[in-house]
Amino acid sequence: MTVETLHFQAEVAKLLDIVVHALYSQKDVFLRELISNASDACDRLRYAAITEPALTEGDAEFKVRLIPDETAKLLTIADNGIGMSRDDLVENLGTIARSGTARFAEALAAQAAKADGEKTLSLIGQFGVGFYAAFMVAGRVDVITRKAGEAQGWKWSSDGKGDFTVEPYDEAPRGTRIVLHLKDDALDYLKPETLTRVVKTYSDHIDLPVVLVEGEESRTLNAAAALWTRPKAEITPEQYKEFYHHVGHAFDDPWLTVHMHAEGAIEYTGLVFVPSDRPFDLFDPDRRQRLKLYVRRVFITDDCEGLVPSYLRFLKGIVDTPDLPLNVSREMLQDNPLVRKIGRGLVGRVLAEIGKASEDATRYAEFWETFGAVLKEGIYEDFERRATILDLCRFRSSLRDGWISLADYVAAMPEGQEAIYFLTGDSVAALKANPQIEGFTAKGVEVLLLTDTIDEFWTTMAPPYKEHRFASVAMAGGDLAKIKAKDDAPEAEPKPEDENPTAEADIHALALAMKAVFGDEVSAVKSSERLTASPVCLVSGDAGVSLHMERLLKAHNRTGAHADRVLEINPKHPVIKALAQHAEGDAFADAAWLLLDQARIVEGEPVADAAAFSRRLTSVMEKGLL
Ligand code: ADP
Ligand code: MG
């Protein structure tokens, strides 16, 4: 038998041309495709040998070898898989046999004619172009192969221009060797470091070894184990951890490992980790998730928008599905319904597992302190799961140490309390000292102390938790009158009667006089229910953003939003009572300004005029001391 020359099927010739040009910028993928084919071939022989062990000819140690030859400018990708017969060669590498592919080739040609590179790429992505990618880097490709169970080997050869040849080849070992005659601009692929990088990037978890052969030596470039495909029972915590280190480029231990497999309408496996340590880029503005998407154990991308939402961007790990085409492109992954469905399943499971882990409060605190601020973004962003996420949230409280859940909060509510009260600010310590919560504390009403930036956002639109709405104590909330003090609360103690209460009319007049002194510095001065120990406090009015929010925006150079400032005065406080007696003159104005500045300091705001503040304070001290 001699050399036969055959023509590529017309569609193949066209496809070849388009692939080589459209994928030009992504040359690396040729290696992924060829390794993937080699892996498939090994998988197929592995499977066939189950019923016919003789097929392996005693060599069942499947591997892919990469053999660079600098002098001849050849790169060989060799496998000991199932190999191809002559007819296989002609059919698989000369025609597009798969149904639907011919139509694809037509669509592709039409698209390419419009010279729309992006769309062409995305079309290519929807179908495997696999083997032909070899012609991106090679001017000639030889395929030397012998099928398992057959004696005769074959050599296929082509320059990818329209013809290919097939001839018998006697020395062929079982399996397939793809010999690439590299183009001059692709000689980089002879370098061990290039091959290592490409294999590490794309084929690391191909579950058979990808071995680089350098002269007498050879070394395995990939981890050679698709860990996630193994049964959970066979995987040790140590192995999970190693895989996490590898896939997450991490050094810490995973705080949580979720290994799941879903079957049914969609099939996928997820092996996902919650880290212990906060990744350095957690608060990067792009907020991108980093899970790696695999299709049949072949790495596709780690930038798959829509797989998991931003508020779970701390997750590391992989998702592997056989339901997407191997050559799926990024364009195609955008807004992909299958990806979204997989994501939804995965997110549900991960949140459920985090929920289970929350039963161990000490352990859960580690997670919450690291990632709570990010997870809370979900209350704002994930309508569907807001309630689930609220259940996972933990808070600092004005009445207890440690972290509490909303369930804990609600269980401790006194009679008459309907809302869940919170106060936002810069630190728990400052919030605890904030006079705004005095009245709540006096009645035994707990206030959630919120210090994350995101708290300003979700609290404005969180759904009620078990019918309890969220209410900011800073927004001049006057609910206190309706709430009955708890038995053990300070206010429940009998208090000595106020011998000399100030008339409501006098307090009202005082408020007006103070407002007149302040002018536009505050929007109102009001008598307060909430204060017990302090004479005054500064709160946000019902309209507009909170004081804390305004400060946050300012810190980010966003000055548009203005908080409405209301100064509340405590009618039972001796200073206020005294002031109500002579609400006029310079001494009164000084005292009023001092009170406002005090309220500002406690709220964490600067005093408006430090020199005036200091002068007034000195004058008051003189009167008191001298
Ligand atoms: P796909 O892998 O999506 O089927 P490819 O273009 O990558 O498409 O490969 C076409 C076909 O060629 C494969 O389906 C397979 O039958 C055959 N083939 C390619 N490489 C090998 C190999 N190394 N060993 C055996 N068969 C191979
Ligand atoms: Mg392939």
Side-chain angles (χ1 to χ4, degrees):
M1 270 186 277
T2 50
V3 183
E4 285 178 86
T5 301
L6 296 113
H7 297 293
F8 283 118
Q9 191 189 18
E11 285 90 345
V12 174
K14 218 172 270 172
L15 186 67
L16 257 165
D17 192 50
I18 296 166
V19 166
V20 169
H21 291 100
L23 286 177
Y24 191 75
S25 63
Q26 304 180 31
K27 272 196 221 137
D28 286 356
V29 304
F30 88 89
L31 195 57
R32 174 187 82 187
E33 294 299 333
L34 297 181
I35 290 174
S36 159
N37 285 348
S39 165
D40 287 349
C42 292
D43 280 351
R44 263 186 284 159
L45 180 53
R46 194 184 275 134
Y47 182 75
I50 295 172
T51 45
E52 216 179 320
L55 283 178
T56 62
E57 302 169 20
D59 172 19
E61 252 182 65
F62 296 109
K63 56 174 172 271
V64 185
R65 289 180 307 140
L66 307 181
I67 311 157
D69 179 342
E70 294 252 10
T71 22
K73 298 182 188 173
L74 298 178
L75 176 64
T76 300
I77 294 98
D79 68 65
N80 53 351
I82 196 151
M84 284 178 273
S85 66
R86 180 202 165 275
D87 291 350
D88 289 340
L89 270 177
V90 172
E91 171 130 352
N92 295 335
L93 306 184
T95 65
I96 302 177
R98 283 164 297 164
S99 69
T101 324
R103 244 183 305 124
F104 156 63
E106 274 165 40
L108 192 61
Q111 194 58 62
K114 288 188 205 149
D116 186 339
E118 288 252 309
K119 287 238 177 73
T120 308
L121 253 182
S122 114
L123 261 178
I124 290 175
Q126 295 176 44
F127 297 81
V129 292
F131 173 77
Y132 301 117
F135 289 100
M136 294 194 296
V137 295
R140 171 162 296 279
V141 177
D142 300 329
V143 180
I144 294 155
T145 184
R146 180 166 65 80
K147 190 161 185 166
E150 295 186 4
Q152 182 64 55
W154 297 89
K155 177 176 168 184
W156 178 103
S157 182
S158 177
D159 61 2
K161 297 254 163 65
D163 298 336
F164 60 91
T165 58
V166 186
E167 62 192 292
Y169 191 94
D170 290 336
E171 304 299 308
R174 182 202 78 226
T176 303
R177 304 164 70 91
I178 312 280
V179 183
L180 307 174
H181 300 252
L182 292 176
K183 295 180 185 174
D184 282 341
D185 63 357
L187 296 178
D188 215 35
Y189 292 108
L190 292 169
K191 291 193 192 135
E193 55 275 21
T194 309
L195 294 170
T196 306
R197 174 184 61 78
V198 178
V199 170
K200 279 257 168 231
T201 310
Y202 294 105
S203 310
D204 201 42
H205 291 282
I206 285 288
D207 55 359
L208 74 171
V210 178
V211 176
L212 176 64
V213 181
E214 293 173 282
E216 296 299 296
E217 312 222 325
S218 56
R219 66 194 156 91
T220 303
L221 300 182
N222 64 335
L227 189 73
W228 63 85
T229 59
R230 297 191 227 158
K232 278 198 220 181
E234 290 173 18
I235 306 174
T236 65
E238 200 51 40
Q239 282 174 317
Y240 275 128
K241 183 172 137 182
E242 283 308 319
F243 178 70
Y244 164 71
H245 284 175
H246 183 81
V247 77
H249 298 286
F251 298 95
D252 56 333
D253 288 0
W255 178 80
L256 183 72
T257 302
V258 180
H259 189 180
M260 66 175 295
H261 183 70
E263 253 164 28
I266 321 167
E267 188 181 342
Y268 65 92
T269 301
L271 178 49
V272 169
F273 304 90
V274 175
S276 303
D277 294 349
R278 181 181 285 189
F280 71 94
D281 56 357
L282 190 61
F283 289 101
D284 272 8
D286 68 354
R287 304 168 69 236
R288 266 194 301 179
Q289 74 85 21
R290 299 284 179 194
L291 287 191
K292 296 187 175 197
L293 179 69
Y294 281 74
V295 173
R296 295 167 217 267
R297 304 191 301 276
V298 178
F299 172 64
I300 304 294
T301 178
D302 61 359
D303 187 15
C304 184
E305 218 182 300
L307 187 56
V308 295
S310 301
Y311 69 85
L312 289 176
R313 60 185 174 277
F314 51 83
L315 295 179
K316 297 196 166 174
I318 64 94
V319 178
D320 189 358
T321 177
D323 291 346
L324 283 167
L326 185 62
N327 241 347
V328 68
S329 70
R330 283 193 181 181
E331 289 82 0
M332 204 201 144
L333 286 171
Q334 270 173 17
D335 253 345
N336 185 306
L338 194 98
V339 168
R340 256 182 288 134
K341 267 188 206 146
I342 292 176
R344 215 171 298 146
L346 194 71
V347 169
R349 179 64 183 273
V350 167
L351 291 180
E353 294 291 331
I354 292 178
K356 270 186 220 158
S358 75
E359 284 159 23
D360 178 344
T362 318
R363 199 173 111 70
Y364 192 63
E366 294 167 15
F367 163 77
W368 187 254
E369 285 165 21
T370 314
F371 296 115
V374 177
L375 194 67
K376 279 189 283 188
E377 293 171 13
I379 313 172
Y380 190 68
E381 291 174 351
D382 192 341
F383 246 63
E384 233 173 280
R385 298 185 198 280
R386 287 200 288 192
T388 310
I389 298 169
L390 276 177
D391 269 327
L392 295 176
C393 286
R394 295 294 179 270
F395 304 92
R396 295 295 190 193
S397 132
S398 58
L399 297 183
R400 303 183 239 186
D401 291 331
W403 294 103
I404 65 162
S405 67
L406 289 175
D408 297 333
Y409 181 93
V410 167
M413 280 183 169
E415 202 183 314
Q417 179 180 356
E418 278 165 10
I420 295 170
Y421 294 105
F422 67 88
L423 184 61
T424 55
D426 303 324
S427 74
V428 170
L431 287 173
K432 269 192 176 159
N434 194 310
Q436 297 186 45
I437 66 171
E438 281 174 6
F440 292 83
T441 306
K443 283 198 160 162
V445 175
E446 206 162 17
V447 175
L448 302 179
L449 309 176
L450 309 180
T451 56
D452 291 317
T453 307
I454 187 67
D455 294 325
E456 287 289 349
F457 297 89
W458 72 259
T459 48
T460 59
M461 42 98 57
Y465 173 81
K466 308 218 156 97
E467 303 188 353
H468 302 287
R469 73 193 153 84
F470 287 87
S472 164
V473 306
M475 293 285 189
D479 303 358
L480 271 179
K482 284 181 258 163
I483 302 172
K484 189 172 175 290
K486 274 190 150 180
D487 291 346
D488 56 352
E491 203 169 271
E493 307 270 306
K495 258 189 266 351
E497 198 58 31
D498 190 344
E499 302 272 301
N500 183 16
T502 308
E504 226 172 272
D506 292 345
I507 291 294
H508 186 66
L510 173 66
L512 287 179
M514 288 176 84
K515 168 70 176 125
V517 169
F518 300 144
D520 287 340
E521 291 285 317
V522 297
S523 63
V525 179
K526 282 185 188 162
S527 174
S528 171
E529 277 265 357
R530 77 174 88 212
L531 294 171
T532 57
S534 307
V536 288
C537 71
L538 199 58
V539 303
S540 348
D542 290 323
V545 302
S546 73
L547 299 176
H548 181 235
M549 179 70 155
E550 188 194 276
R551 286 198 295 279
L552 283 175
L553 290 171
K554 235 179 226 157
H556 290 89
N557 288 324
R558 300 254 310 275
T559 45
H562 260 289
D564 218 10
R565 288 175 165 65
V566 175
L567 185 72
E568 291 194 352
I569 56 177
N570 177 358
K572 295 187 191 117
H573 196 280
V575 169
I576 299 298
K577 289 166 85 167
L579 271 187
Q581 300 315 310
H582 26 86
E584 57 189 13
D586 286 350
F588 166 70
D590 276 351
W593 279 115
L594 275 176
L595 286 171
L596 175 58
D597 280 339
Q598 251 188 59
R600 282 171 165 152
I601 291 169
V602 171
E603 182 55 35
E605 304 202 338
V607 298
D609 180 344
F613 170 75
S614 155
R615 182 177 49 71
R616 288 179 192 125
L617 187 61
T618 308
S619 135
V620 168
M621 283 165 75
E622 270 170 10
K623 280 183 203 144
L625 294 171
L626 306 178

